[in-house]
Amino acid sequence: MSKATRTDPQPSAPHGADSHDLIRVLGARENNLKDVSIEIPKRRLTVFTGVSGSGKSSLVFNTIAAESQRLINETYSAFVQGFMPTLARPEVDVLEGLTTAIIVDQQRMGADPRSTVGTATDANAMLRILFSRLGTPHIGPPSAYAFNVPSVRASGAITVERGDKKTVKATFNRTGGMCPRCEGRGTVSDIDLTQLYDDAKSLNEGAITIPGYGSDGWNMRLYKESGFVDPDKPIRKYTKKELHDFLHHEATRMKIAGINMTYEGLIPRVQKSMLSKDKEAMQPHIRAFVDRAVTFATCPECDGTRLSEGARASKIKRISIADACAMQISDLADWVRGLKEPSVAPLLTALQHTLDSFVEIGLGYLALDRPAGTLSGGEAQRVKMIRHLGSSLTDVTYVFDEPTAGLHPHDIQRMNELLLRLRDKGNTVLVVEHKPETIAIADHVVDLGPGAGTGGGSVCFEGTVEGLRTGDTVTGRHFDDRATVKETPREPTGTLEIRGASANNLRDVDVDVPLGVLVVVTGVAGSGKSSLVHGSIPAGEGVVSVDQSPIRGSRRSNPATYTGLLDPIRKAFAKVNGVKPALFSANSEGACPTCNGAGVIYTDLAMMAGVASPCEDCEGKRYQPSVLEYHLGGRDISEVLAMSVDEAEEFFGAGEAATPAAQRILTRLSDVGLGYLTLGQPLTTLSGGERQRLKLATHMADKGGVYVLDEPTTGLHLADVEQLLALLDRLVDSGKSVIVVEHHQAVMAHADWIIDLGPGAGHDGGRLVFEGTPADLVAARSTLTGEHLAAYVGA
């Protein structure tokens, strides 16, 4: 009987294991999501779209990917979990069918000077092995070519135990490739003493010019009353010993004014208190001091290669590892292809594959020694992708955050192919995206909205791309929108001359940038756009530069504190109630004493994941109860911070709460499309595009005549791009000059003047290939940009 069953042609019932082909989400309430329930097909490409702030990231990153990561972390021992980031359980009723999630986001890579494109991928490690096998003269193992490994020499008895055997070595050597002078950083820093003190004055006359060293502060008292130097003698008259004690004395405990304090030389003290900290996190006046006081120069010993003399001297076919890392990756791939050495054939194949992946993903213009911290968000995301392209894993969920950010229309096609290749290997690919070119390749589309912030958080559409096109959602209506080229562009009021620009890959570019109009600088990724704009138009007098670098702020920072909006609000509350403004600051006198104004209590559970729970005393409002008794226009301060920008604009516009200073800032926030943000939302929860627009709103009050914007459409929905174009028009019409580095075709079409760089990336770019009006570019179709723009406007 069983035999007959086996040969029976009737299809057998599907295997139970094959029924799990959906990721089911029920009742997601993270951030602004309103009880969202959806089913996402596995092993397909699903694109999530919707206006900025509609809840895409909350659903994809903060719910699906976060829960997947949390469940994986729970499989580790409690000891290991103690060293991992703590992940809270997302607000969702049911999550089923999750697989391992790999998040490829746009977070910038660490800015450690020893982290490069080569160390962030496997390319450097493979090159080091290659040179240790084939390099002549042979200098040692792979570590001898690593700029992160110092050379160590020890003499004396060293006992090495292996099993029962003990061997005593008289000396111990480890050959590393680190340059001893710069310790593998490629640059050496020096402190300019003239910025620390005025040597014509004595300490009592205020010789020290460092911020925080005022005449009556503790820092100054420490030096005056230490007894090491005479506080009435000008510094230039100090003896050698006095100058050494003042500048370099090692840390010593002593009593000053009856208080135990540590005295040390001015230089080590400044290094510890200021120079070892993240410059971006400093207050502006301290950051300005550090910029003045510290000078960075290329290391004279290794010439910026970070490598020791031995590592630089060992070569393969007259190329050292330093030369290989400095080559453009596309050239390095060709060089490796020319190495025919059977003894390392598998290594050469693997290295070749990694380097070809760089070229394929559109990063062939980078070099392996490029510091990882200097990559843009889009470049960093694509470098992270390289690891996964050759991965043997299948049935994994890959989560991408706008993979087309920073990509020219020409490069988007390649990115689409890569996403489809990941899907075809049997993976689930989830993409948060706004560009119609990428939405068009989706197997399944989820459109969130209908609005932003509290007006969003619902699923407006689920289905195919065709269904989205015909559906009545904001995305569907704008899907086939095409901006038109202006008939009559505005006339420039002057020109900004750039002559002989040669930063990075620029080839002595001469260009006249018209002023008083909207100028778009475009070209494929790596063609030299940012080098031209940021290198030749320095941010300074009259120039307002808004880039994509992250806003550094603690979880206490929010739009109200960052834009300076809280100051007029606090003053208005104080004036109406006849109390001090400091009462209305959650970081000062008005703070709830239990949570110190944070609104939540962070509990560290030692070996287990920590938890953040709302403060029970203030119920997350961050203020003392007594402060909340003071009202302005019928609202207390916590209710004002819970308002959205649009609500607050109305509130502070009229009636008892009318505050023109607050109104001006709120109008600017609304202008850049951030009307949905709440005033008290922590900055750490904003997306890259939101942060950039927040910066733009704060800079709109600056007195600059020239605005330089770096890809302001990042993270913007098609409908929001229209609002941005209207804002740029208003800036130009008010007499400003706007220069935009941009790939978005709607912005190109809307420009008065286009500067196109190329024709390719890296050393194939860096040239001016077109300058003129968008209409001329479309008519000529002489460049890649021209061809794509002509197709876009339907010419």
Side-chain angles (χ1 to χ4, degrees):
M1 180 67 201
S2 61
K3 215 171 192 177
T5 313
R6 276 203 298 274
T7 55
D8 195 311
Q10 292 300 315
S12 56
H15 195 290
D18 295 330
S19 61
H20 301 281
D21 52 2
L22 290 173
I23 295 174
R24 292 180 60 233
V25 182
L26 292 179
R29 296 178 298 281
E30 200 62 32
N31 297 334
N32 66 334
L33 296 179
K34 294 173 180 162
D35 235 7
V36 167
S37 298
I38 57 165
E39 292 186 340
I40 302 163
K42 281 191 188 171
R43 295 175 284 283
R44 295 289 181 272
L45 173 63
T46 301
V47 172
F48 294 80
T49 185
V51 296
S52 305
S54 60
K56 302 180 299 295
S57 296
S58 301
L59 179 59
V60 180
F61 291 96
N62 303 356
T63 306
I64 299 170
E67 180 65 358
S68 172
Q69 295 227 289
R70 193 183 70 79
L71 292 172
I72 291 166
N73 286 4
E74 283 191 353
T75 64
Y76 298 111
S77 68
F79 174 73
V80 174
Q81 285 184 44
F83 297 100
M84 297 181 124
T86 56
L87 299 166
R89 185 188 294 273
E91 280 276 309
V92 60
D93 294 334
V94 178
L95 267 178
E96 284 177 353
L98 291 180
T99 70
T100 305
I102 294 175
I103 298 174
V104 189
D105 60 16
Q106 290 192 26
Q107 291 296 323
R108 296 282 177 112
M109 293 192 165
D112 186 288
R114 292 203 198 96
S115 175
T116 64
V117 169
T119 59
T121 55
D122 290 335
N124 251 47
M126 290 190 271
L127 269 181
R128 293 199 298 266
I129 299 169
L130 187 67
F131 273 86
S132 71
R133 299 283 172 82
L134 305 181
T136 52
H138 177 75
I139 58 164
S143 63
Y145 297 90
F147 56 77
N148 287 334
V149 180
S151 293
V152 178
R153 287 178 187 79
S155 55
I158 297 170
T159 308
V160 181
E161 294 186 18
R162 286 206 179 103
D164 297 338
K165 293 180 192 166
K166 288 188 180 180
T167 52
V168 175
K169 297 185 179 182
T171 58
F172 168 75
N173 286 337
R174 181 182 68 193
T175 309
M178 181 186 281
C179 165
R181 171 79 192 272
C182 65
E183 297 185 339
R185 288 188 170 87
T187 56
V188 284
S189 60
D190 212 359
I191 293 181
D192 180 357
L193 295 180
T194 61
Q195 298 296 335
L196 303 189
Y197 57 82
D198 179 350
D199 68 353
K201 293 181 179 175
S202 69
L203 290 180
N204 277 333
E205 290 167 335
I208 301 179
T209 54
I210 304 167
Y213 283 72
S215 54
D216 51 353
W218 274 107
N219 284 325
M220 202 62 161
R221 280 187 74 175
L222 186 63
Y223 288 95
K224 283 185 193 171
E225 300 176 24
S226 63
F228 287 113
V229 292
D230 179 352
D232 293 313
K233 187 199 260 185
I235 292 175
R236 64 169 58 146
K237 294 191 176 165
Y238 281 6
T239 62
K240 234 179 183 173
K241 182 177 182 323
E242 280 180 314
L243 196 60
H244 175 272
D245 287 343
F246 176 54
L247 292 179
H248 302 286
H249 200 288
E250 65 280 1
T252 311
R253 296 290 287 167
M254 56 169 52
K255 258 201 170 123
I256 289 181
I259 295 168
N260 286 327
M261 295 186 77
T262 302
Y263 175 89
E264 64 184 329
L266 194 61
I267 288 175
R269 192 176 171 86
V270 167
Q271 277 173 329
K272 281 178 196 165
S273 65
M274 294 179 186
L275 306 189
S276 63
K277 294 192 175 148
D278 179 2
K279 204 166 84 173
E280 291 297 318
M282 295 175 173
Q283 292 168 288
H285 67 292
I286 295 180
R287 191 185 316 158
F289 161 73
V290 171
D291 285 337
R292 287 196 313 270
V294 184
T295 53
F296 288 96
T298 303
C299 172
E301 203 158 299
C302 67
D303 200 22
T305 61
R306 309 162 174 195
L307 290 157
S308 63
E309 196 178 345
R312 299 197 308 275
S314 177
K315 298 189 177 181
I316 302 173
K317 289 191 175 178
R318 299 196 297 281
I319 297 283
S320 71
I321 192 166
D323 301 331
C325 289
M327 275 185 200
Q328 185 166 309
I329 289 173
S330 53
D331 295 345
L332 180 59
D334 291 340
W335 180 73
V336 171
R337 207 170 275 119
L339 298 177
K340 300 282 184 271
E341 184 58 52
S343 63
V344 288
L347 174 67
L348 286 171
T349 308
L351 178 58
Q352 189 68 59
H353 179 272
T354 300
L355 297 175
D356 286 343
S357 295
F358 272 102
V359 178
E360 195 180 357
I361 209 165
L363 293 177
Y365 59 89
L366 295 178
L368 292 180
D369 63 2
R370 169 90 175 257
T374 64
L375 299 178
S376 70
E379 285 171 334
Q381 185 179 36
R382 282 176 281 149
V383 166
K384 292 176 198 167
M385 250 184 108
I386 283 169
R387 290 189 205 142
H388 307 304
L389 290 178
S391 167
S392 321
L393 292 172
T394 65
D395 252 338
V396 171
T397 301
Y398 284 100
V399 187
F400 289 96
D401 185 9
E402 282 189 66
T404 59
L407 286 185
H408 187 271
H410 173 68
D411 299 312
I412 289 177
Q413 185 61 44
R414 283 152 103 177
M415 176 57 74
N416 283 351
E417 285 162 14
L418 292 168
L419 293 172
L420 292 171
R421 214 165 78 206
L422 279 174
R423 176 202 68 184
D424 293 344
K425 277 171 66 177
N427 296 307
T428 306
V429 182
L430 308 181
V431 183
V432 172
E433 188 52 86
H434 295 291
K435 297 263 172 75
E437 299 97 316
T438 300
I439 299 172
I441 63 161
D443 301 308
H444 189 72
V445 181
V446 177
D447 188 17
L448 289 154
T454 51
S458 303
V459 174
C460 302
F461 173 83
E462 253 190 292
T464 61
V465 178
E466 280 313 307
L468 177 72
R469 267 197 166 103
T470 54
D472 190 29
T473 68
V474 177
T475 308
R477 287 198 296 274
H478 287 273
F479 194 82
D480 292 311
D481 276 9
R482 294 291 179 265
T484 50
V485 175
K486 285 181 184 163
E487 293 289 320
T488 50
R490 283 174 280 230
E491 287 298 316
T493 55
T495 53
L496 176 73
E497 290 186 4
I498 295 176
R499 295 289 176 266
S502 56
N504 300 328
N505 66 333
L506 294 175
R507 310 279 182 92
D508 274 341
V509 173
D510 295 342
V511 62
D512 291 337
V513 181
L515 296 175
V517 294
L518 175 60
V519 178
V520 169
V521 180
T522 186
V524 294
S527 59
K529 305 179 297 296
S530 296
S531 303
L532 178 71
V533 171
H534 296 303
S536 310
I537 312 172
E541 208 50 49
V543 177
V544 176
S545 184
V546 184
D547 60 14
Q548 300 234 340
S549 59
I551 295 172
R552 303 279 177 156
S554 68
R555 48 195 174 205
R556 290 172 172 274
S557 309
N558 54 46
T561 57
Y562 180 78
T563 56
L565 171 66
L566 205 55
D567 291 339
I569 291 178
R570 285 200 305 247
K571 283 175 186 158
F573 264 96
K575 191 175 175 188
V576 166
N577 293 289
V579 290
K580 285 193 296 189
L583 272 180
F584 302 99
S585 166
N587 296 331
S588 184
E589 289 183 30
C592 160
T594 313
C595 62
N596 290 327
V600 288
I601 307 270
Y602 295 95
T603 314
D604 185 11
L605 299 175
M607 286 300 172
M608 289 164 65
V611 251
S613 49
C615 171
E616 291 180 4
D617 285 15
C618 67
E619 295 173 349
K621 292 181 178 172
R622 304 174 61 187
Y623 289 91
Q624 295 178 19
S626 57
V627 175
L628 301 181
E629 288 170 13
Y630 298 113
H631 287 81
L632 172 69
R635 303 282 187 99
D636 65 41
I637 184 76
S638 73
E639 289 170 331
V640 167
L641 289 178
M643 288 180 183
S644 69
V645 168
D646 289 341
E647 282 175 67
E649 193 180 357
E650 204 176 304
F651 178 72
F652 288 108
E656 187 205 355
T659 312
Q663 174 81 357
R664 280 195 295 274
I665 297 172
L666 289 161
T667 304
R668 289 201 293 270
L669 283 170
S670 190
D671 280 348
V672 296
L674 294 178
Y676 60 89
L677 282 189
T678 54
L679 306 186
Q681 184 175 337
L683 286 190
T684 47
T685 62
L686 299 189
S687 68
E690 285 170 338
R691 288 191 198 120
Q692 191 191 22
R693 281 176 285 142
L694 188 59
K695 278 192 206 170
L696 176 58
T698 53
H699 285 308
M700 275 170 63
D702 293 357
K703 294 288 180 277
V706 179
Y707 281 73
V708 177
L709 310 180
D710 198 347
E711 292 186 44
T713 61
T714 301
L716 280 188
H717 186 270
L718 296 161
D720 299 318
V721 171
E722 284 183 13
Q723 190 175 356
L724 179 78
L725 290 175
L727 170 69
L728 298 181
D729 280 341
R730 283 204 299 278
L731 281 172
V732 174
D733 294 340
S734 69
K736 313 278 189 197
S737 303
V738 180
I739 301 166
V740 184
V741 174
E742 189 53 87
H743 295 291
H744 202 294
Q745 288 159 305
V747 183
M748 289 184 210
H750 196 75
D752 298 302
W753 192 259
I754 283 188
I755 294 170
D756 193 11
L757 295 177
H763 60 47
D764 299 324
R767 295 185 180 87
L768 183 67
V769 290
F770 177 84
E771 52 179 327
T773 64
D776 292 344
L777 178 62
V778 167
R781 298 190 191 195
S782 56
T783 69
L784 278 171
T785 307
E787 287 172 26
H788 282 280
L789 190 59
Y792 172 80
V793 297

